[in-house]
Amino acid sequence: MEKDNKINVEVEKIVGEIKEAGLDVPKIKCSICGRETPAHEVYALPEVWRHARQMALYMLGKAPKPEPVDEQALAEKYGYTIHDVFCTDCWLDLILDGRQEKGQSYLMYEEKR
């Protein structure tokens, strides 16, 4: 019984260290600034998000199958594709200001520091 208790204490200690270090949260690099952001805090382009939602409804049998996203149109409109994700700041800049060159927000971010 004492051996199990020691193992449980060690496991809890290791899990605590992992959480404290932030290693339990997957991170993704923003396609514009390159900062690593927790995966649950990144955004795709609005058309990509809309398509994913429509595809989920289709898979549940609640909507017709959506047309694929036109990557060429996305590239022309934003300069990015369906594979790009963005941190909150860069996503807002991109959506509110329109097309933005890669690295532009990163330079503005560095100037603010």
Side-chain angles (χ1 to χ4, degrees):
M1 186 72 157
E2 189 175 312
K3 184 177 181 181
D4 288 340
N5 212 14
K6 284 184 178 181
I7 291 173
N8 288 339
V9 169
E10 285 300 314
V11 168
E12 287 178 23
K13 181 180 174 184
I14 292 168
V15 170
E17 289 174 1
I18 289 170
K19 286 183 179 181
E20 191 175 300
L23 300 175
D24 60 330
V25 179
K27 295 187 178 173
I28 300 174
K29 282 188 177 185
C30 172
S31 295
I32 295 176
C33 69
R35 286 181 286 171
E36 287 198 348
T37 305
H40 63 276
E41 294 180 11
V42 295
Y43 297 90
L45 296 172
E47 293 85 346
V48 175
W49 187 88
R50 196 174 302 116
H51 181 269
R53 188 168 188 275
Q54 291 170 345
M55 185 59 81
L57 290 172
Y58 164 72
M59 293 172 74
L60 293 170
K62 296 183 178 185
K65 186 173 183 176
E67 293 295 319
V69 176
D70 183 356
E71 286 195 64
Q72 184 65 34
L74 290 179
E76 289 173 9
K77 184 175 181 179
Y78 300 107
Y80 296 93
T81 67
I82 63 171
H83 305 288
D84 293 300
V85 292
F86 312 94
C87 66
T88 305
D89 293 337
C90 292
W91 185 83
L92 287 171
D93 288 345
L94 182 64
I95 300 307
L96 296 176
D97 298 339
R99 184 182 172 98
Q100 194 168 57
E101 297 302 319
K102 287 192 180 200
Q104 186 176 345
S105 278
Y106 180 72
L107 293 174
M108 292 187 307
Y109 168 75
E110 287 298 315
E111 288 173 4
K112 291 178 186 176
R113 290 175 106 195

mmCIF file of all heavy atoms in Angstrom, residues 44-72:
data_model
loop_
_atom_site.group_PDB
_atom_site.id
_atom_site.type_symbol
_atom_site.label_atom_id
_atom_site.label_comp_id
_atom_site.label_asym_id
_atom_site.label_seq_id
_atom_site.Cartn_x
_atom_site.Cartn_y
_atom_site.Cartn_z
ATOM 1 N N ALA A 44 -8.619 30.245 -38.102
ATOM 2 C CA ALA A 44 -8.455 30.062 -39.540
ATOM 3 C C ALA A 44 -9.175 31.217 -40.231
ATOM 4 O O ALA A 44 -9.865 32.014 -39.584
ATOM 5 C CB ALA A 44 -9.062 28.732 -39.967
ATOM 6 N N LEU A 45 -9.025 31.294 -41.534
ATOM 7 C CA LEU A 45 -9.747 32.315 -42.290
ATOM 8 C C LEU A 45 -11.250 32.055 -42.180
ATOM 9 O O LEU A 45 -11.668 30.900 -42.037
ATOM 10 C CB LEU A 45 -9.309 32.280 -43.752
ATOM 11 C CG LEU A 45 -7.837 32.634 -43.987
ATOM 12 C CD1 LEU A 45 -7.446 32.386 -45.432
ATOM 13 C CD2 LEU A 45 -7.563 34.075 -43.602
ATOM 14 N N PRO A 46 -12.072 33.098 -42.236
ATOM 15 C CA PRO A 46 -13.521 32.919 -42.053
ATOM 16 C C PRO A 46 -14.133 31.896 -43.020
ATOM 17 O O PRO A 46 -14.975 31.098 -42.619
ATOM 18 C CB PRO A 46 -14.096 34.309 -42.322
ATOM 19 C CG PRO A 46 -12.974 35.247 -42.098
ATOM 20 C CD PRO A 46 -11.726 34.503 -42.431
ATOM 21 N N GLU A 47 -13.692 31.898 -44.264
ATOM 22 C CA GLU A 47 -14.229 30.953 -45.246
ATOM 23 C C GLU A 47 -13.875 29.511 -44.881
ATOM 24 O O GLU A 47 -14.669 28.595 -45.092
ATOM 25 C CB GLU A 47 -13.686 31.274 -46.652
ATOM 26 C CG GLU A 47 -14.173 32.583 -47.229
ATOM 27 C CD GLU A 47 -13.352 33.812 -46.808
ATOM 28 O OE1 GLU A 47 -12.543 33.718 -45.864
ATOM 29 O OE2 GLU A 47 -13.538 34.870 -47.424
ATOM 30 N N VAL A 48 -12.704 29.313 -44.317
ATOM 31 C CA VAL A 48 -12.255 27.976 -43.916
ATOM 32 C C VAL A 48 -13.070 27.510 -42.713
ATOM 33 O O VAL A 48 -13.540 26.370 -42.665
ATOM 34 C CB VAL A 48 -10.745 27.973 -43.594
ATOM 35 C CG1 VAL A 48 -10.299 26.629 -43.066
ATOM 36 C CG2 VAL A 48 -9.949 28.371 -44.826
ATOM 37 N N TRP A 49 -13.262 28.375 -41.751
ATOM 38 C CA TRP A 49 -14.048 28.039 -40.577
ATOM 39 C C TRP A 49 -15.481 27.701 -40.982
ATOM 40 O O TRP A 49 -16.061 26.727 -40.518
ATOM 41 C CB TRP A 49 -14.034 29.203 -39.595
ATOM 42 C CG TRP A 49 -14.679 28.850 -38.290
ATOM 43 C CD1 TRP A 49 -14.066 28.279 -37.220
ATOM 44 C CD2 TRP A 49 -16.044 29.016 -37.935
ATOM 45 N NE1 TRP A 49 -14.987 28.088 -36.216
ATOM 46 C CE2 TRP A 49 -16.201 28.527 -36.631
ATOM 47 C CE3 TRP A 49 -17.153 29.525 -38.595
ATOM 48 C CZ2 TRP A 49 -17.426 28.535 -35.967
ATOM 49 C CZ3 TRP A 49 -18.377 29.530 -37.936
ATOM 50 C CH2 TRP A 49 -18.500 29.043 -36.636
ATOM 51 N N ARG A 50 -16.044 28.507 -41.863
ATOM 52 C CA ARG A 50 -17.419 28.288 -42.339
ATOM 53 C C ARG A 50 -17.533 26.939 -43.045
ATOM 54 O O ARG A 50 -18.478 26.181 -42.819
ATOM 55 C CB ARG A 50 -17.807 29.427 -43.282
ATOM 56 C CG ARG A 50 -19.274 29.544 -43.552
ATOM 57 C CD ARG A 50 -19.606 30.799 -44.377
ATOM 58 N NE ARG A 50 -19.157 32.023 -43.720
ATOM 59 C CZ ARG A 50 -18.221 32.845 -44.215
ATOM 60 N NH1 ARG A 50 -17.647 32.607 -45.362
ATOM 61 N NH2 ARG A 50 -17.868 33.923 -43.558
ATOM 62 N N HIS A 51 -16.553 26.603 -43.875
ATOM 63 C CA HIS A 51 -16.559 25.326 -44.581
ATOM 64 C C HIS A 51 -16.475 24.164 -43.593
ATOM 65 O O HIS A 51 -17.186 23.154 -43.739
ATOM 66 C CB HIS A 51 -15.402 25.250 -45.582
ATOM 67 C CG HIS A 51 -15.382 23.976 -46.345
ATOM 68 N ND1 HIS A 51 -14.672 22.877 -45.916
ATOM 69 C CD2 HIS A 51 -16.003 23.609 -47.489
ATOM 70 C CE1 HIS A 51 -14.848 21.893 -46.778
ATOM 71 N NE2 HIS A 51 -15.649 22.307 -47.742
ATOM 72 N N ALA A 52 -15.627 24.280 -42.574
ATOM 73 C CA ALA A 52 -15.492 23.219 -41.575
ATOM 74 C C ALA A 52 -16.809 23.006 -40.840
ATOM 75 O O ALA A 52 -17.217 21.864 -40.580
ATOM 76 C CB ALA A 52 -14.378 23.559 -40.594
ATOM 77 N N ARG A 53 -17.483 24.075 -40.521
ATOM 78 C CA ARG A 53 -18.786 23.981 -39.840
ATOM 79 C C ARG A 53 -19.821 23.322 -40.746
ATOM 80 O O ARG A 53 -20.570 22.443 -40.311
ATOM 81 C CB ARG A 53 -19.250 25.365 -39.418
ATOM 82 C CG ARG A 53 -20.476 25.331 -38.543
ATOM 83 C CD ARG A 53 -20.737 26.704 -37.911
ATOM 84 N NE ARG A 53 -21.789 26.618 -36.952
ATOM 85 C CZ ARG A 53 -23.091 26.696 -37.261
ATOM 86 N NH1 ARG A 53 -23.460 26.859 -38.511
ATOM 87 N NH2 ARG A 53 -24.008 26.616 -36.315
ATOM 88 N N GLN A 54 -19.860 23.715 -42.013
ATOM 89 C CA GLN A 54 -20.793 23.106 -42.957
ATOM 90 C C GLN A 54 -20.485 21.627 -43.164
ATOM 91 O O GLN A 54 -21.399 20.807 -43.283
ATOM 92 C CB GLN A 54 -20.752 23.854 -44.294
ATOM 93 C CG GLN A 54 -21.335 25.245 -44.221
ATOM 94 C CD GLN A 54 -21.075 26.055 -45.481
ATOM 95 O OE1 GLN A 54 -20.240 25.697 -46.311
ATOM 96 N NE2 GLN A 54 -21.779 27.165 -45.616
ATOM 97 N N MET A 55 -19.200 21.270 -43.185
ATOM 98 C CA MET A 55 -18.811 19.871 -43.341
ATOM 99 C C MET A 55 -19.249 19.052 -42.128
ATOM 100 O O MET A 55 -19.712 17.915 -42.275
ATOM 101 C CB MET A 55 -17.304 19.760 -43.550
ATOM 102 C CG MET A 55 -16.826 18.354 -43.844
ATOM 103 S SD MET A 55 -17.563 17.606 -45.310
ATOM 104 C CE MET A 55 -16.573 18.324 -46.586
ATOM 105 N N ALA A 56 -19.138 19.630 -40.945
ATOM 106 C CA ALA A 56 -19.589 18.936 -39.736
ATOM 107 C C ALA A 56 -21.095 18.691 -39.795
ATOM 108 O O ALA A 56 -21.567 17.593 -39.464
ATOM 109 C CB ALA A 56 -19.228 19.745 -38.494
ATOM 110 N N LEU A 57 -21.855 19.689 -40.225
ATOM 111 C CA LEU A 57 -23.303 19.509 -40.369
ATOM 112 C C LEU A 57 -23.629 18.444 -41.416
ATOM 113 O O LEU A 57 -24.539 17.636 -41.221
ATOM 114 C CB LEU A 57 -23.968 20.840 -40.737
ATOM 115 C CG LEU A 57 -23.983 21.898 -39.634
ATOM 116 C CD1 LEU A 57 -24.493 23.230 -40.174
ATOM 117 C CD2 LEU A 57 -24.833 21.423 -38.461
ATOM 118 N N TYR A 58 -22.872 18.429 -42.498
ATOM 119 C CA TYR A 58 -23.050 17.405 -43.529
ATOM 120 C C TYR A 58 -22.798 16.009 -42.955
ATOM 121 O O TYR A 58 -23.561 15.071 -43.192
ATOM 122 C CB TYR A 58 -22.111 17.680 -44.706
ATOM 123 C CG TYR A 58 -21.937 16.516 -45.644
ATOM 124 C CD1 TYR A 58 -22.964 16.127 -46.489
ATOM 125 C CD2 TYR A 58 -20.750 15.802 -45.672
ATOM 126 C CE1 TYR A 58 -22.811 15.046 -47.350
ATOM 127 C CE2 TYR A 58 -20.577 14.724 -46.520
ATOM 128 C CZ TYR A 58 -21.617 14.351 -47.369
ATOM 129 O OH TYR A 58 -21.458 13.277 -48.204
ATOM 130 N N MET A 59 -21.733 15.877 -42.180
ATOM 131 C CA MET A 59 -21.388 14.580 -41.601
ATOM 132 C C MET A 59 -22.439 14.111 -40.585
ATOM 133 O O MET A 59 -22.607 12.913 -40.370
ATOM 134 C CB MET A 59 -20.002 14.640 -40.965
ATOM 135 C CG MET A 59 -18.909 14.830 -42.011
ATOM 136 S SD MET A 59 -17.292 15.142 -41.306
ATOM 137 C CE MET A 59 -16.870 13.533 -40.720
ATOM 138 N N LEU A 60 -23.157 15.053 -39.983
ATOM 139 C CA LEU A 60 -24.238 14.703 -39.067
ATOM 140 C C LEU A 60 -25.554 14.455 -39.807
ATOM 141 O O LEU A 60 -26.560 14.116 -39.187
ATOM 142 C CB LEU A 60 -24.434 15.821 -38.033
ATOM 143 C CG LEU A 60 -23.294 16.014 -37.039
ATOM 144 C CD1 LEU A 60 -23.499 17.294 -36.233
ATOM 145 C CD2 LEU A 60 -23.206 14.805 -36.112
ATOM 146 N N GLY A 61 -25.539 14.661 -41.128
ATOM 147 C CA GLY A 61 -26.739 14.460 -41.926
ATOM 148 C C GLY A 61 -27.726 15.606 -41.842
ATOM 149 O O GLY A 61 -28.903 15.445 -42.159
ATOM 150 N N LYS A 62 -27.253 16.788 -41.460
ATOM 151 C CA LYS A 62 -28.134 17.939 -41.271
ATOM 152 C C LYS A 62 -28.009 18.994 -42.355
ATOM 153 O O LYS A 62 -28.674 20.020 -42.289
ATOM 154 C CB LYS A 62 -27.867 18.577 -39.905
ATOM 155 C CG LYS A 62 -28.193 17.655 -38.753
ATOM 156 C CD LYS A 62 -27.979 18.337 -37.431
ATOM 157 C CE LYS A 62 -28.361 17.388 -36.307
ATOM 158 N NZ LYS A 62 -28.281 18.018 -35.011
ATOM 159 N N ALA A 63 -27.142 18.767 -43.338
ATOM 160 C CA ALA A 63 -26.943 19.754 -44.404
ATOM 161 C C ALA A 63 -26.353 19.050 -45.620
ATOM 162 O O ALA A 63 -25.776 17.964 -45.497
ATOM 163 C CB ALA A 63 -25.995 20.862 -43.930
ATOM 164 N N PRO A 64 -26.509 19.670 -46.804
ATOM 165 C CA PRO A 64 -25.879 19.082 -47.992
ATOM 166 C C PRO A 64 -24.365 19.244 -47.935
ATOM 167 O O PRO A 64 -23.840 20.083 -47.192
ATOM 168 C CB PRO A 64 -26.472 19.894 -49.142
ATOM 169 C CG PRO A 64 -26.909 21.182 -48.533
ATOM 170 C CD PRO A 64 -27.275 20.868 -47.113
ATOM 171 N N LYS A 65 -23.670 18.440 -48.720
ATOM 172 C CA LYS A 65 -22.208 18.514 -48.753
ATOM 173 C C LYS A 65 -21.778 19.872 -49.317
ATOM 174 O O LYS A 65 -22.226 20.267 -50.394
ATOM 175 C CB LYS A 65 -21.630 17.392 -49.613
ATOM 176 C CG LYS A 65 -20.123 17.323 -49.574
ATOM 177 C CD LYS A 65 -19.594 16.118 -50.299
ATOM 178 C CE LYS A 65 -18.083 16.052 -50.174
ATOM 179 N NZ LYS A 65 -17.534 14.858 -50.784
ATOM 180 N N PRO A 66 -20.909 20.586 -48.601
ATOM 181 C CA PRO A 66 -20.480 21.906 -49.078
ATOM 182 C C PRO A 66 -19.472 21.797 -50.220
ATOM 183 O O PRO A 66 -18.779 20.797 -50.366
ATOM 184 C CB PRO A 66 -19.825 22.535 -47.849
ATOM 185 C CG PRO A 66 -19.347 21.377 -47.044
ATOM 186 C CD PRO A 66 -20.333 20.256 -47.295
ATOM 187 N N GLU A 67 -19.425 22.834 -51.012
ATOM 188 C CA GLU A 67 -18.421 22.922 -52.077
ATOM 189 C C GLU A 67 -17.061 23.154 -51.438
ATOM 190 O O GLU A 67 -16.964 23.792 -50.385
ATOM 191 C CB GLU A 67 -18.746 24.094 -53.017
ATOM 192 C CG GLU A 67 -20.012 23.901 -53.830
ATOM 193 C CD GLU A 67 -19.905 22.746 -54.798
ATOM 194 O OE1 GLU A 67 -18.835 22.579 -55.429
ATOM 195 O OE2 GLU A 67 -20.887 21.992 -54.914
ATOM 196 N N PRO A 68 -15.999 22.652 -52.055
ATOM 197 C CA PRO A 68 -14.649 22.896 -51.494
ATOM 198 C C PRO A 68 -14.319 24.389 -51.477
ATOM 199 O O PRO A 68 -14.841 25.163 -52.276
ATOM 200 C CB PRO A 68 -13.715 22.157 -52.447
ATOM 201 C CG PRO A 68 -14.570 21.340 -53.341
ATOM 202 C CD PRO A 68 -15.971 21.852 -53.250
ATOM 203 N N VAL A 69 -13.461 24.753 -50.573
ATOM 204 C CA VAL A 69 -13.014 26.146 -50.469
ATOM 205 C C VAL A 69 -12.106 26.445 -51.663
ATOM 206 O O VAL A 69 -11.228 25.652 -51.999
ATOM 207 C CB VAL A 69 -12.246 26.388 -49.149
ATOM 208 C CG1 VAL A 69 -11.705 27.796 -49.079
ATOM 209 C CG2 VAL A 69 -13.143 26.101 -47.964
ATOM 210 N N ASP A 70 -12.305 27.587 -52.281
ATOM 211 C CA ASP A 70 -11.489 28.003 -53.421
ATOM 212 C C ASP A 70 -10.191 28.616 -52.887
ATOM 213 O O ASP A 70 -10.154 29.769 -52.475
ATOM 214 C CB ASP A 70 -12.260 29.014 -54.262
ATOM 215 C CG ASP A 70 -11.514 29.454 -55.511
ATOM 216 O OD1 ASP A 70 -10.350 29.035 -55.712
ATOM 217 O OD2 ASP A 70 -12.104 30.219 -56.292
ATOM 218 N N GLU A 71 -9.133 27.801 -52.888
ATOM 219 C CA GLU A 71 -7.857 28.268 -52.329
ATOM 220 C C GLU A 71 -7.271 29.430 -53.119
ATOM 221 O O GLU A 71 -6.629 30.309 -52.551
ATOM 222 C CB GLU A 71 -6.857 27.118 -52.272
ATOM 223 C CG GLU A 71 -7.180 26.146 -51.170
ATOM 224 C CD GLU A 71 -6.027 25.232 -50.862
ATOM 225 O OE1 GLU A 71 -4.978 25.726 -50.418
ATOM 226 O OE2 GLU A 71 -6.188 24.026 -51.078
ATOM 227 N N GLN A 72 -7.489 29.436 -54.419
ATOM 228 C CA GLN A 72 -6.979 30.534 -55.246
ATOM 229 C C GLN A 72 -7.625 31.853 -54.823
ATOM 230 O O GLN A 72 -6.944 32.868 -54.705
ATOM 231 C CB GLN A 72 -7.242 30.246 -56.733
ATOM 232 C CG GLN A 72 -6.654 31.275 -57.672
ATOM 233 C CD GLN A 72 -5.129 31.284 -57.629
ATOM 234 O OE1 GLN A 72 -4.505 30.244 -57.450
ATOM 235 N NE2 GLN A 72 -4.537 32.447 -57.789
#
